[in-house]
Amino acid sequence: MTTQPKKKKTMPKLTRVTDYIWDVPTDFIEGMRVPGRLFLSPRLLKGLEIDTLTQTANVATLPGIQKYSMAMPDAHPGYGFPIGGVAAFDAEEGVISPGGVGFDINCGVRVIRTNLTEKDVRPKIRKLIDALFHAVPTGVGAKSKLRVSDSELRRVFEDGAKWAVEEGYGVADDLEHCEENGRIELPGDLKVSDKVMKRGKPQLGTLGSGNHFLEVQCVREIYDQDIADAFGLRVGDITVMIHCGSRGAGHQICTDHLKVLGKAAKKYGIELVDRQLACAPVQSKEGQEYFAAMCAGANYAWANRQVITHWVRETFHQFFGDVEMDLVYDVAHNVAKLEEHVIDGKSQMVYVHRKGATRAFPAGHPDVPKAYRSVGQPVLIPGSMGTPSYILCGMDKAMELTFGSACHGAGRIGSRKAAMRKFRGAEIEKELLAKGITVKATHPSVLAEEAPAVYKPSDAVVEVVHQVGIACRVAQVVPIGVAKG
DNA sequence: ATGTAC
């Protein structure tokens, strides 16, 4: 039976595993099947919110959870599961939960490298950002300049970035450099509601709002030369980072299935310590239908980032002629995946929920593109607006410790409302310009909401995953121009 | 994140 969330007010005594790994004992919340595990530096531990910890513990009560309910260093409270949460559930006995994926299914990041340098781009940055802002519709409710029919939209849900490339929005090489090649095969027929179709139709090829952005960056520092060579990154080169997801379509898929899975939890006798943990046995009809729809949402997001990439390339070609714009990689950071992992020495299929967490597969893993197979998967960690982003590389320790996962970004500290009270968009814009960063947003309030000060410093978050050894630092990239929703 | 509350 469903009850209200447990409201724990006091921090439990955490068990120190290392300076960067802290466990939440199973007696913190009744019904925990495994401990919680937090990846945090001593400094980040001081700022840990009780709600983040409680949510991490709540997830540990769900059936079939393996090893630990984990929180990455950028974790903060979310819907049911923390954002920055990683949880793997046995593929037979476990559950699947929309709260463990998030509303923005396959929100993710891609990075494009160019052979332009900072001095090529700086003089034109204002005009370039304006042009990008116009090339890619931006903001809440933004409508695309792309028109798709119902049957085309169905193919988008089925084929993801592959659809986009087949329609001329990119090249085959782009797919090779996407997680899952930009497409998860639907585990059944496509089944999404009319509302999903209605919301998805006008938004394919739009950036959205909130922390989503399109950023022109410059590689400032290389930490690992060999891996940077494999990723094609050199100091001084211009890169473009695109951060967005599945827009209204993914949101509607999540909403539709939350209703179903809330009932399913009761039907299958799963006790929820928080109703936001709505879930179903992953092998139940309800569970598989959510998973199939989630895959469709993920595919929509990959197609979205691919179409946006095409318009970014067009814009750069207008400004700089025949410039190289190869996709380095594209990662999902809100998704559940059926994966094989070695657990206690035994191979096991699990549904890994990564909500605000990035896959970080190491060298040799068959799912890492051939070009990177000898070094590992690029892990893309966007900073907040105006702070550095990092490109890391997945390491063996990720398979041992985190089901092949790492952090996904800086992580908010305060609410959007609080940020809007505290900051003025015009001031933020001036401060960023003084630091050499040109911004364009749909409205000044967007800049206040996303002020750099409302995020944890990205370097502190990256330090943890680097020190633990789940992903290693490869490059730091800094923004010179940003388009925001 | 989101037709920022059906």
Side-chain angles (χ1 to χ4, degrees), chain A residues 411-432:
Chain A
R412 280 195 86 88
I413 301 167
S415 72
R416 294 182 180 281
K417 275 185 185 166
M420 281 197 279
R421 278 197 299 272
K422 201 166 169 187
F423 302 105
R424 301 277 303 165
E427 286 298 313
I428 300 290
E429 184 172 353
K430 228 184 274 175
E431 283 169 26
L432 289 172

Side-chain angles (χ1 to χ4, degrees), chain A residues 27 47 64 69 76 127 160 183 186 195 208 211 232 235 245 327 384 408 423:
Chain A
D27 60 6
S69 168
H76 54 109
K127 281 189 171 158
R183 173 186 188 255
L186 298 190
K195 273 189 181 171
N211 65 358
V235 168
L327 183 59
S384 58
H408 88 306
F423 302 105

Side-chain angles (χ1 to χ4, degrees), chain A residues 204-220:
Chain A
L204 188 64
T206 62
L207 194 65
S209 184
N211 65 358
H212 291 164
F213 63 71
L214 201 167
E215 197 165 277
V216 177
Q217 309 167 323
C218 179
V219 179
R220 181 67 81 225

Side-chain angles (χ1 to χ4, degrees), chain A residues 116-278:
Chain A
L116 297 166
T117 62
E118 193 171 356
K119 68 176 193 319
D120 298 322
V121 174
R122 275 253 181 238
K124 297 177 179 170
I125 190 65
R126 168 48 70 190
K127 281 189 171 158
L128 179 63
I129 288 297
D130 284 350
L132 289 167
F133 189 85
H134 286 109
V136 182
T138 297
V140 182
K143 286 215 165 58
S144 181
K145 50 192 183 183
L146 180 67
R147 291 280 166 263
V148 290
S149 65
D150 278 5
S151 62
E152 281 174 311
L153 183 57
R154 289 187 169 274
R155 280 199 54 215
V156 169
F157 284 126
E158 286 164 353
D159 290 343
K162 181 167 169 272
W163 170 86
V165 168
E166 284 171 2
E167 293 298 313
Y169 298 96
V171 294
D173 197 54
D174 294 340
L175 303 180
E176 173 68 19
H177 293 87
C178 288
E179 184 173 327
E180 301 293 327
N181 299 116
R183 173 186 188 255
I184 305 180
E185 174 106 23
L186 298 190
D189 290 340
L190 174 66
K191 202 175 137 191
V192 291
S193 68
D194 292 346
K195 273 189 181 171
V196 171
M197 293 293 288
K198 188 170 171 253
R199 291 180 72 175
K201 212 168 170 179
Q203 292 189 327
L204 188 64
T206 62
L207 194 65
S209 184
N211 65 358
H212 291 164
F213 63 71
L214 201 167
E215 197 165 277
V216 177
Q217 309 167 323
C218 179
V219 179
R220 181 67 81 225
E221 198 172 349
I222 298 289
Y223 305 104
D224 187 306
Q225 192 63 53
D226 290 342
I227 304 178
D229 287 345
F231 292 173
L233 301 168
R234 294 168 303 194
V235 168
D237 281 358
I238 292 294
T239 55
V240 181
M241 187 176 270
I242 298 166
H243 178 198
C244 62
S246 51
R247 310 284 287 106
H251 193 278
Q252 191 63 49
I253 287 169
C254 184
T255 304
D256 288 348
H257 288 266
L258 274 172
K259 284 179 198 155
V260 177
L261 295 204
K263 287 178 192 154
K266 257 184 204 166
K267 175 178 160 188
Y268 294 104
I270 301 167
E271 194 177 319
L272 302 178
V273 295
D274 177 354
R275 66 194 302 173
Q276 294 185 351
L277 295 174

Side-chain angles (χ1 to χ4, degrees), chain A residues 3 6 25-36 54-66 68-69 80-81 87 89 95 269-275 277 279:
Chain A
T3 54
K6 297 271 195 298
T26 49
D27 60 6
F28 176 52
I29 279 177
E30 203 184 318
M32 285 175 72
R33 296 161 190 264
V34 295
T54 305
Q55 289 188 332
T56 306
N58 287 347
V59 172
T61 66
L62 295 174
I65 188 162
Q66 301 295 307
Y68 304 97
S69 168
F81 289 54
F89 299 89
V95 295
I270 301 167
E271 194 177 319
L272 302 178
V273 295
D274 177 354
R275 66 194 302 173
L277 295 174
C279 63

